[in-house]
Amino acid sequence: MSSARSGRKLFPIRLGQPGRYLVGAAIATLIWFPARLADPADEPLARTVVRAGMYGAGWGLLVPLLEYVDRRRRSGTDDLRRAREALRRGVVPAAAADRAELVEQVRIARRGAWTGVLIGVPLFGGLALLAPGVDYPVTGIGFLVLLAVVLAVAVRALVRCRRADRRLAAARPGSAVADGACGFRPGAEQARRGR
């Protein structure tokens, strides 16, 4: 858990995907916009915005890529890895510490999904509407494809969060599900696999 906590010093708000990509793309777009304005080419403001958005969408990919490389470099703690696996599979861990980490991973995933939707729709939707007007119709289609991917990833994350929330609520001590009356026991799937 210490490696996960050390990441909070650099980024105080942890986000799941697609939030990380969208924050990176929005920041890169904001950085590229003044750079494109300073370009000596005399082009309309709308074209400058679309080109800054193109560069921002490309450079925004560095955020999840660097995070992926960093995650591969430092393998992460066992409880974090188990929590991410539990979120993917919808399994409630038996240990209380693992359940607490799963709750944190659900919060991070939900926060990233909603951040992705709230930034992605105005950013890529607006750029997709603006691009054909400045003779970049293929770029407009590209922004629509990016928007569709962002929404698909966000929906997938929210579905996983909802499934994990339902399983966590059902696995609370004292509930019929937690006592095994409904055929579901927390950690039963892990026990079958020998974990």
Side-chain angles (χ1 to χ4, degrees):
M1 187 115 125
S2 62
S3 64
R5 298 279 182 213
S6 67
R8 283 191 183 174
K9 292 177 185 173
L10 184 58
F11 301 108
I13 299 175
R14 297 185 331 173
L15 296 173
Q17 287 298 356
R20 285 188 296 253
Y21 167 68
L22 266 300
V23 168
I27 289 172
T29 300
L30 290 174
I31 290 171
W32 274 105
F33 180 68
R36 297 299 312 159
L37 276 177
D39 193 15
D42 208 17
E43 60 185 20
L45 183 63
R47 181 172 287 173
T48 303
V49 170
V50 170
R51 291 184 71 182
M54 286 177 6
Y55 293 137
W59 283 99
L61 289 173
L62 282 179
V63 173
L65 179 67
L66 290 175
E67 191 248 335
Y68 174 77
V69 169
D70 185 50
R71 189 185 312 163
R72 299 291 287 178
R73 185 181 54 81
R74 61 170 176 84
S75 60
T77 61
D78 289 336
D79 56 346
L80 181 63
R81 191 178 10 247
R82 284 191 303 264
R84 286 184 179 152
E85 187 66 25
L87 179 61
R88 264 188 232 108
R89 293 190 179 176
V91 177
V92 177
D98 290 343
R99 274 196 303 270
E101 189 63 37
L102 175 61
V103 169
E104 180 66 21
Q105 288 299 312
V106 168
R107 285 186 192 131
I108 290 169
R110 185 176 289 119
R111 195 179 308 131
W114 284 113
T115 302
V117 169
L118 293 176
I119 294 175
V121 170
L123 178 66
F124 290 142
L127 289 170
L129 291 175
L130 192 61
V134 293
D135 296 331
Y136 284 151
V138 175
T139 303
I141 293 170
F143 285 134
L144 286 176
V145 168
L146 275 173
L147 180 59
V149 169
V150 163
L151 292 175
V153 170
V155 166
R156 186 189 70 177
L158 290 172
V159 165
R160 285 181 175 174
C161 290
R162 186 174 178 186
R163 181 178 57 205
D165 281 341
R166 278 197 310 256
R167 296 265 172 103
L168 281 168
R172 286 195 180 108
S175 70
V177 176
D179 296 337
C182 298
F184 173 78
R185 290 188 319 258
E189 186 174 326
Q190 293 166 339
R192 271 186 285 145
R193 291 190 183 141
R195 290 184 182 173

